[in-house]
Amino acid sequence: MDTLIFYIAVVVLFGISIAKDRAKTKKALLKGLKALENIMPQFITVLILIAIMLTVLNAETISRFLGAGTGALGVAIASVLGAITLIPGFVAFPLAGELLRNGAGVMQIATFVSSLMMVGIITLPMEITYFGKRTAILRNVFALIFSVVAAAFVTWAVSL
């Protein structure tokens, strides 16, 4: 039902925009379509990667390594996977949702996503170049610690 309400709101607002300034609306629409065209190859790649991952990793395998019952070991695995993975947020969140639906634990997935966003093992050489070795390593260590703390908070908040 919410989706229908959003569609109706978009159509109404689009109509108002056309009535107010047809040229500006056309320009904005073309700009939006261009942005969609630019992001579409990445989005399709994401869908393919998620489909392949869920085909290879069944719910039992996901639960065994990242399930709620895996405790600290599952959190450690999730944090390492997140730290070494280099994927954008718009890929990470749908992937996290699918992993949760297929048996992964909330703490483990929250750790995976937060370490994915904050820790950059792949980008560490570039960080060292710009920030220096000590600063880059400290930033990543603190980010890894904070990602586990943030995941613990998310898990607590979800349990309320």
Side-chain angles (χ1 to χ4, degrees):
M1 186 65 182
D2 291 340
T3 305
L4 181 63
I5 292 169
F6 283 128
Y7 282 139
I8 291 169
V10 166
V11 169
V12 168
L13 291 171
F14 186 71
I16 292 170
S17 181
I18 286 176
K20 190 170 181 179
D21 190 341
R22 184 172 290 247
K24 244 182 171 178
T25 302
K26 182 179 178 183
K27 185 177 178 182
L29 186 61
L30 291 175
K31 198 173 198 178
L33 289 173
K34 183 68 175 171
L36 181 64
E37 180 184 328
N38 290 336
I39 202 170
M40 204 46 106
Q42 292 175 323
F43 187 69
I44 290 170
T45 303
V46 168
L47 292 177
I48 291 169
L49 286 173
I50 290 173
I52 290 170
M53 179 182 265
L54 292 176
T55 301
V56 173
L57 300 174
N58 60 16
E60 182 182 312
T61 305
I62 293 169
S63 291
R64 185 174 28 186
F65 292 107
L66 296 175
T70 60
L73 179 62
V75 170
I77 291 169
S79 66
V80 168
L81 286 174
I84 62 174
T85 306
L86 185 64
I87 55 176
F90 74 88
V91 176
F93 293 115
L95 175 61
E98 284 303 314
L99 290 171
L100 280 170
R101 279 190 282 284
N102 282 280
V106 172
M107 176 83 172
Q108 289 76 3
I109 295 304
T111 303
F112 170 72
V113 171
S114 61
S115 65
L116 176 75
M117 295 294 152
M118 293 189 281
V119 182
I121 300 300
I122 302 295
T123 58
L124 188 58
M126 183 180 67
E127 281 188 60
I128 290 172
T129 302
Y130 287 100
F131 303 126
K133 188 175 186 177
R134 183 174 187 273
T135 303
I137 290 172
L138 279 174
R139 190 205 69 76
N140 277 281
V141 167
F142 286 131
L144 187 63
I145 292 167
F146 184 74
S147 71
V148 174
V149 171
F153 177 77
V154 167
T155 304
W156 170 78
V158 167
S159 71
L160 293 179

